[in-house]
Amino acid sequence: MKIGVMGGTFDPIHNGHLIGAEYVRTSLNLDKLIFVPSSVHPFKDNKDISESRKRTDMISLAIDSNEYFEISFIEINRVGITYTIDTIMKIKEEYRDDEIYFIIGSDILFEINKWKNFEELICLCKFILLYRPGKEEESIDNKIKELNLLYGVKFEKVNSPLIEISSTEIRNRVRNRLSIKYLVPELVEDYILEHNLYNRENIDG
């Protein structure tokens, strides 16, 4: 099987995540795409991240109608800081004979070689680059060539609609009592409102 893996905080998951994931799945004919919500991200300030259960609840609601999408609790259930290499190794244990494709945004491309055990990671999975706005395409192509020259790693580029939605924007809109309709799936919007997420009085989620 060909299995895609998409990691992130997903606080909350939004339509940009889902559209990008579906474009990757259909472009590369993946058999399955696994969303892996992070617990403690080594490169982010974690103080304002919503509790894990609420983030995973929202992912489950968002992907329920897509038979090819799944959620993994690998990082949520791990104690302490988690790294991509640990996650991919764990997934590889379960899918020993399958091809693993790790999906990254073009913004991450410029720091990926700083990841823990990067040279080991590139032996365990292939990389899918999902283009995101913010960097010129020529700059992205030059970075891909540089990484290929230094490490022998290749990136398969997938172009999806440039939907500029961010989880930060959604949280800020909720705190400012603005609509998030059409930014997130309807079930996720209902969940956010029902659980009073992201309001100033409820920043801890």
Side-chain angles (χ1 to χ4, degrees):
M1 287 197 302
K2 296 169 66 175
I3 299 170
V5 177
M6 178 180 277
T9 307
F10 301 116
D11 190 24
I13 191 168
H14 56 66
N15 288 334
H17 293 132
L18 298 168
I19 291 169
E22 183 67 358
Y23 263 74
V24 167
R25 185 190 71 78
T26 55
S27 296
L28 298 178
N29 197 28
L30 300 180
D31 298 288
K32 181 185 297 189
L33 195 147
I34 304 172
F35 289 83
V36 184
S38 60
S39 180
V40 179
H41 196 292
F43 297 113
K44 287 186 177 180
D45 181 352
N46 296 279
K47 64 181 180 180
D48 288 339
I49 296 176
S50 299
E51 65 180 80
S52 300
R53 183 183 59 79
K54 290 177 180 175
R55 290 185 289 118
T56 56
D57 282 351
M58 288 188 284
I59 295 170
S60 296
L61 289 169
I63 68 175
D64 184 61
S65 63
N66 192 323
E67 63 179 324
Y68 298 100
F69 286 177
E70 292 184 6
I71 183 172
S72 169
F73 299 89
I74 291 174
E75 295 192 3
I76 294 294
N77 293 335
R78 185 180 293 129
V79 177
I81 291 176
T82 189
Y83 295 91
T84 300
I85 182 67
D86 304 318
T87 299
I88 294 299
M89 286 178 69
K90 193 70 176 176
I91 290 174
K92 196 65 180 173
E93 285 179 14
E94 183 175 354
Y95 300 99
R96 293 183 184 276
D97 301 321
D98 299 311
E99 291 182 293
I100 307 299
Y101 293 80
F102 190 73
I103 302 162
I104 66 168
S106 55
D107 52 333
I108 294 174
L109 179 69
F110 294 83
E111 62 181 36
I112 194 171
N113 57 316
K114 300 176 185 176
W115 288 5
K116 180 183 177 182
N117 297 351
F118 175 67
E119 293 187 59
E120 181 181 357
L121 177 64
I122 64 178
C123 296
L124 296 175
C125 65
K126 299 179 180 180
F127 287 92
I128 299 171
L129 183 67
L130 190 59
Y131 180 80
R132 289 179 180 170
K135 296 282 184 180
E136 295 294 334
E137 188 154 4
E138 182 180 354
S139 177
I140 291 170
D141 289 339
N142 287 338
K143 187 64 178 181
I144 288 173
K145 290 175 184 176
E146 175 190 330
L147 292 170
N148 180 250
L149 183 64
L150 291 173
Y151 304 101
V153 59
K154 296 182 180 179
F155 295 84
E156 181 132 17
K157 289 172 66 177
V158 172
N159 291 317
S160 72
L162 300 183
I163 300 170
E164 298 191 52
I165 302 173
S166 75
S167 296
T168 300
E169 175 193 6
I170 292 166
R171 294 194 301 270
N172 287 337
R173 289 185 68 84
V174 173
R175 288 168 188 160
N176 288 292
R177 307 293 192 270
L178 298 172
S179 171
I180 57 171
K181 190 173 292 295
Y182 311 122
L183 298 177
V184 298
E186 186 173 353
L187 291 175
V188 172
E189 179 188 8
D190 291 344
Y191 186 95
I192 290 170
L193 296 176
E194 179 184 348
H195 291 82
N196 198 32
L197 296 184
Y198 311 130
N199 288 321
R200 294 183 187 280
E201 331 48 85
N202 194 31
I203 284 182
D204 292 334

